[in-house]
């Protein structure tokens, strides 16, 4: 029977782990998309073979299933699949598209929890290197734009060259009231942004069945602006063409701008944000929009009572788009757009360095990023820790930034006519305060008031002193010292930490070795105090008799670290005659001895503890 069970288990394992080649080509859409059908079982790997090289693909699967454990792999690359929560129907769900580093004709799909029939949508992106050359050639023709004019952008006809199917004809023009910011949820490490762009187009046009790419504009990490929806002659620009980027059925009145990347916990590049600002400044100025305004959306049948004119995707739809790192900059984005529009009209703005993409705004963000990176490097690889010996490399930058910010703040307070309002330095100064606190927690022991090691020594000193006092009052509290010293390991660890830090930083001229010695002296004093207490406890065997004197017919408590081992208790008067003791009780207070009514005077209390006779004089009142 055991052999049969093992054989069955082996067969199940081989079935689940085997790579099965089972996909069937069911449809070709244009020259750029192949759709395959694949029957899958859970937790199974499938070897996929494509007739044509592919660099991007997505999965279409049945409702009610979870794609979280599924992935695609090619060589050493593994790509986790994520559900597209914005695009669902009653009959199917979609993954976000993934982009491989190079075109392949083979890859492996692991099903995870998926089962049943899936569709693989395989996108053939063509010669993206040739397309990138066309993009570079087009960008080379960009000219310096007029104040608040439209920034240079790459039209769809350039970046989409060779892809079919074409956009559906006759796009709809809409009266734009809201400028919606998105992120594409694509890789931040991808080198080929043109390939990502072409993959998004095919995903939107074929897999999701939309008229065209969803967005009006897309911005790459290098700041390149790509035109999205093709106006097809309906208007000169594409900013008023109705897109497919907002909530289902609520596309009217919106222009969508997508930042290529995933900005949940990844900072958007400054050059990308600069292009976003330039694009939105052009649109706001051209159409006379108020970047601080808000309107009901949709106008005829409002779902959102006050959707901001410049809004993140999540302001109107159930989503985390455009990622936390973009979302937290939305108010700064509105202020920057407002200021730049006024500067275009001739206004002076001394506050510009404090605004989004400004010199000091970027300087503060860069300092925060550098400190975080240095801390992670020190903690994870134990390298670069010397930067925190005095922290001077960071504190000097912090002080310089703070001084410059405060100087601009002073100018705007005394010359408000030269600063566009609002001009607030509070957010940047708060960031500097936070990074200063982070630095102080890392800077080592010679900054005794603020660093971690002195705080740990001071905390240990307080705990030891309190424990020593409690031990004097109540023998039960002595268990922290006797028979085992509970503080020994922490004292040893702190001594080693101090030695390590001083060895690391002794080449730093700002290092104060005297403070290190002071900390060592404190730890040595604690060791001596504990040793003295332990010696006394050992000598006294840590025994206490309470109360003494005690009333006749009262209760006597014998306290000891080992009171459960006390045996043969006797009470002897001065004549050497033993007194009968009616009863002894052990409870959490110790060993309770119930005394009979006996004459007052001096007595000797005797008992055995671990084979030794212990005697204590006792006064009966």
């Amino acid at each position: 029977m055991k052999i049969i069970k093992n054989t069955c288990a082996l067969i199940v394992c081989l079935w689940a782990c085997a790579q099965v080649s089972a996909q069937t080509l069911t449809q070709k859409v244009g020259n750029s998309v192949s759709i395959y059908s694949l029957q899958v079982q859970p937790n199974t790997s499938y070897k996929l073979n494509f007739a044509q090289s592919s660099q991007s693909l997505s999965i279409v699967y049945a409702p009610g299933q979870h794609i979280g454990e599924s992935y695609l792999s090619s060589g050493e690359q593994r790509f986790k699949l994520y559900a597209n929560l914005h695009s669902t129907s009653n009959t199917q769900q979609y993954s976000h598209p993934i982009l491989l580093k190079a075109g392949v004709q083979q890859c492996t799909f692991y099903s995870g929890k998926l089962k049943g029939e899936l569709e693989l949508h395989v996108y053939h992106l063509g010669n993206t290197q040739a397309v990138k050359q066309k993009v570079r050639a087009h960008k080379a023709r960009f000219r310096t734009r007029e104040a608040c004019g439209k920034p240079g952008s790459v039209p769809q006809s350039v970046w989409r060259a060779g892809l079919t199917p074409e956009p559906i004809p006759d796009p709809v023009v809409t009266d734009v009231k809201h400028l919606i910011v998105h992120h594409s949820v694509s890789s931040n490490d991808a080198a080929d942004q043109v390939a990502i762009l072409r993959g998004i187009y095919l995903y939107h046009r074929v897999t999701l069945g939309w008229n065209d790419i969803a967005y009006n504009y897309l911005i790459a990490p290098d700041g390149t602006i790509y035109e999205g929806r093709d106006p097809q002659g309906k208007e000169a620009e594409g900013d008023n063409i109705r897109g497919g980027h907002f909530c289902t059925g609520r596309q009217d009145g919106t222009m969508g701008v997508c930042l290529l990347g995933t900005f949940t916990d990844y900072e958007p590049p400054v050059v990308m944000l600069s292009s976003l600002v330039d694009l939105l400044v052009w649109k706001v100025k051209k159409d006379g929009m108020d970047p601080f305004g808000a309107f009901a959306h949709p106008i005829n049948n409002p779902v959102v009572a006050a959707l901001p004119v410049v809004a993140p995707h999540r302001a109107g739809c159930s989503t985390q788009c455009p990622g936390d790192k973009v979302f937290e900059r939305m108010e700064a984005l509105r202020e920057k757009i407002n200021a730049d529009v006024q500067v275009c009209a001739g206004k002076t703005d001394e506050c510009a360095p404090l605004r989004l993409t400004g010199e000091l705004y970027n300087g503060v963000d860069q300092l925060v990023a550098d400190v975080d990176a240095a801390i992670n490097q020190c903690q994870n690889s134990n390298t670069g820790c010397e930067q925190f010996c005095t922290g001077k490399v960071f504190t000097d930058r912090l002080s310089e930034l703070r001084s410059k910010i405060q100087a601009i703040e002073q100018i705007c307070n005394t010359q408000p006519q030269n600063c566009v309002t609002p001009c607030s330095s509070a957010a940047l100064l708060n960031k500097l305060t936070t990074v200063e606190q982070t630095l102080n927690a890392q800077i080592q022991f010679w900054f005794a008031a603020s660093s971690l090691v002195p705080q740990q020594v001071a905390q240990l000193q307080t705990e030891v002193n309190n424990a020593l006092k409690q031990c004097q009052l109540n023998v039960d509290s002595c268990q922290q010292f006797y028979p085992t010293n509970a503080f020994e390991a922490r004292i040893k660890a702190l001594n080693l930490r101090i030695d390590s830090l001083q060895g690391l930083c002794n080449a730093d001229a700002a290092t104060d070795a005297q403070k290190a010695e002071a900390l060592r002296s404190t730890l040595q004093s604690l060791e001596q105090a504990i040793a003295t207490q332990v010696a006394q406890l050992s000598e006294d065997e840590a025994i206490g008799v309470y109360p003494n004197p005690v009333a006749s017919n009262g209760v006597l408590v014998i306290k000891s670290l080992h009171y459960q081992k006390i045996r043969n208790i006797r009470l002897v008067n001065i004549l050497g005659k033993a007194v009968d003791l009616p009863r002894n009780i052990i409870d959490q207070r110790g060993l309770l001895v119930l005394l009979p009514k006996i004459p007052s005077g001096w007595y000797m209390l005797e008992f055995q503890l671990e084979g030794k006779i212990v005697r204590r004089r006792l006064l009966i009142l």
Side-chain angles (χ1 to χ4, degrees):
M1 185 67 178
K2 184 175 182 181
I3 294 174
I4 293 174
K5 286 183 178 179
N6 289 342
T7 303
C8 290
L10 178 60
I11 291 171
V12 170
C13 178
L14 290 173
W15 169 78
C17 300
Q19 289 193 347
V20 183
S21 180
Q23 86 276 12
T24 303
L25 179 64
T26 60
Q27 186 180 2
K28 284 277 290 184
V29 183
N31 66 356
S32 305
V33 182
S34 300
I35 299 177
Y36 291 85
S37 174
L38 177 65
Q39 289 285 341
V40 301
Q41 294 292 336
N43 304 315
T44 306
S45 292
Y46 294 87
K47 186 176 181 180
L48 307 179
N49 295 287
F50 307 126
Q52 187 178 350
S53 178
S54 170
Q55 195 177 350
S56 182
L57 52 84
S58 66
I59 304 292
V60 181
Y61 55 102
Q65 298 200 62
H66 299 283
I67 200 172
E69 296 179 12
S70 306
Y71 61 83
L72 279 148
S73 59
S74 174
E76 296 181 356
Q77 301 178 77
R78 176 180 289 190
F79 300 89
K80 183 176 173 62
L81 291 166
Y82 294 94
N84 183 343
L85 301 179
H86 309 312
S87 301
T88 59
S89 71
N90 295 329
T91 59
Q92 53 195 9
Q93 297 183 91
Y94 309 92
S95 76
H96 280 289
I98 63 169
L99 180 74
L100 306 176
K101 291 182 179 178
V104 298
Q105 288 187 261
Q106 288 186 343
C107 64
T108 300
F109 170 65
Y110 178 72
S111 60
K113 293 183 178 180
L114 296 179
K115 64 179 180 179
E117 185 175 4
L118 310 179
E119 281 187 356
L120 305 174
H121 287 218
V122 180
Y123 310 118
H124 311 296
L125 306 182
N127 187 348
T128 59
Q129 295 303 316
V131 175
K132 284 194 289 185
Q133 288 181 355
K134 292 182 179 180
V135 168
R136 285 193 291 269
H138 186 87
K139 289 172 63 177
R141 297 196 295 271
F142 287 172
R143 296 291 180 264
T144 303
R145 69 188 183 111
E146 299 176 2
C148 291
K150 184 182 179 183
S153 56
V154 179
Q156 188 186 111
S157 59
V158 173
W159 63 258
R160 191 182 58 78
L163 291 184
T164 58
E166 302 277 345
I168 290 178
D170 199 23
V172 176
V173 176
T174 187
D175 182 14
V176 171
K177 301 293 184 183
H178 305 279
L179 311 177
I180 310 299
V181 180
H182 303 261
H183 68 163
S184 63
V185 200
S186 53
S187 171
N188 295 316
D189 299 323
D192 192 345
Q193 295 296 323
V194 168
I196 288 180
L197 192 62
R198 288 163 72 87
I200 292 173
Y201 171 81
L202 293 173
Y203 177 68
H204 288 180
R205 178 66 184 85
V206 177
T207 301
L208 301 183
W210 295 346
N211 294 354
D212 196 344
I213 195 167
Y215 312 105
N216 299 87
Y217 298 94
L218 303 97
I219 303 177
D222 67 356
T224 301
I225 300 174
Y226 294 93
E227 297 175 11
R229 290 229 157 176
D230 186 350
Q232 300 182 38
K234 283 292 188 77
E235 62 168 12
E237 308 293 349
D239 52 313
N240 293 319
I241 297 298
R242 187 175 68 191
H245 57 90
F246 208 45
C247 320
T248 302
R250 291 160 51 196
Q251 311 295 341
D252 281 325
T254 66
M255 182 187 95
V257 182
C258 181
L259 305 178
L260 295 177
T262 301
F263 302 108
T264 304
D265 51 14
Y266 184 86
E267 299 287 349
V270 173
V271 66
M272 171 185 272
L273 292 175
S274 294
S275 292
L276 175 64
V277 168
D278 291 345
L279 182 65
L280 298 186
V281 164
W282 161 71
K283 178 64 174 175
V284 164
K285 184 175 184 296
K286 177 171 76 80
D287 291 359
M289 304 171 81
D290 177 6
F292 295 120
F295 297 95
H297 180 79
I299 291 177
N300 297 328
N301 185 23
V303 175
V304 181
L307 181 66
V309 168
V310 180
H313 186 185
R314 68 174 71 175
C317 311
S318 179
T319 175
Q320 293 303 305
C321 182
D324 290 346
K325 293 300 183 180
V326 174
F327 177 76
E328 66 190 23
R329 287 169 167 76
M330 290 304 299
E331 189 57 32
L333 175 62
R334 297 182 188 103
E335 291 182 7
K336 174 65 172 172
I337 294 169
N338 172 67
D340 281 10
V341 169
Q342 294 191 48
V343 168
C344 288
K347 175 78 173 179
T348 299
D349 186 24
E350 296 288 351
C351 191
L354 306 188
R355 302 193 191 281
L356 182 69
T357 72
E359 175 191 355
L360 297 180
Y361 187 100
N362 294 339
V364 171
D365 275 357
Q366 190 61 55
L367 176 62
V368 172
D370 290 347
V371 169
D372 287 344
I375 290 172
N376 289 334
Q377 181 184 10
C378 178
Q379 292 178 345
N380 297 331
S381 63
N382 202 31
T383 59
C385 302
E386 65 278 358
Q387 296 177 89
F388 299 107
C389 290
T390 62
K392 187 174 175 61
V393 64
F394 296 119
T395 55
D396 284 355
R397 286 171 61 188
L398 189 148
S399 297
E400 182 181 5
L401 284 167
R402 180 175 281 150
S403 296
K404 289 182 176 180
I405 292 169
Q406 290 171 340
I408 290 177
E409 186 178 44
Q410 179 66 21
I411 290 173
C412 290
N413 286 337
T414 57
Q415 305 172 35
Q417 71 278 9
N418 292 328
C419 296
V420 176
T421 57
C423 176
S424 175
S425 60
L428 293 183
L429 291 175
N430 287 340
K431 275 190 175 182
L432 289 180
T433 298
T434 300
V435 78
E436 187 173 42
Q437 292 169 348
T438 302
L439 279 171
N440 286 340
Q442 296 296 322
I443 293 171
Q444 308 304 347
F445 52 78
W446 32 89
F447 287 149
S450 59
S451 63
L452 183 61
V453 173
Q455 290 176 1
Q456 291 175 333
V457 171
Q459 177 64 29
L460 180 61
Q461 185 178 30
T462 299
E463 292 179 25
V464 170
N465 288 338
N466 287 339
L468 289 169
K469 290 178 183 178
Q470 291 299 317
C471 182
Q472 296 294 328
L473 299 173
N474 185 342
V475 72
D476 289 342
S477 301
C478 298
Q479 295 183 39
Q480 295 183 79
F481 306 108
Y482 184 86
T484 302
N485 178 6
F487 298 101
E488 182 178 13
R490 288 172 63 189
I491 292 174
K492 182 178 180 180
L494 281 169
N495 270 316
L496 290 174
R497 179 65 172 152
I498 293 169
D499 291 344
S500 172
L501 293 175
Q502 194 166 30
L504 175 71
C505 301
N506 59 9
D508 192 320
T511 299
D512 187 349
Q514 290 183 350
K515 290 182 179 177
E517 292 304 323
L519 293 176
R520 288 195 187 91
S521 178
T522 299
L523 293 175
Q524 186 176 9
S525 298
L526 295 180
E527 287 180 311
Q528 291 172 347
I530 291 172
T532 300
Q533 183 67 68
V534 168
Q536 182 179 344
L537 290 170
S538 299
E539 182 179 343
D540 296 343
E541 295 173 325
I543 297 170
V545 178
Y546 310 94
N548 190 5
V550 62
S552 175
N553 205 25
V555 177
L556 186 68
V557 180
I558 303 176
K559 291 198 172 186
S560 168
L561 297 175
H562 310 289
Y563 65 83
Q564 296 93 338
K565 299 180 181 180
I566 293 176
R567 302 288 185 272
N568 303 327
I569 303 173
R570 294 200 321 152
L571 190 62
V572 181
N573 63 20
I574 58 175
L575 300 177
K577 183 178 179 180
V579 177
D580 291 333
L581 299 175
R583 189 179 177 194
N584 304 326
I585 302 172
I586 294 178
D587 73 2
Q588 61 184 3
R589 292 171 292 173
L591 181 62
L592 277 58
V593 180
L594 306 182
L595 298 177
K597 187 170 182 61
I598 54 178
S600 61
W602 286 100
Y603 290 78
M604 184 66 70
L605 180 68
E606 296 181 352
F607 52 85
Q608 287 186 345
L609 178 59
E610 295 185 326
K612 296 171 60 177
I613 300 297
V614 179
R615 295 181 175 87
R616 293 289 186 272
R617 293 186 67 190
L618 185 65
L619 179 60
I620 304 292
L621 300 178

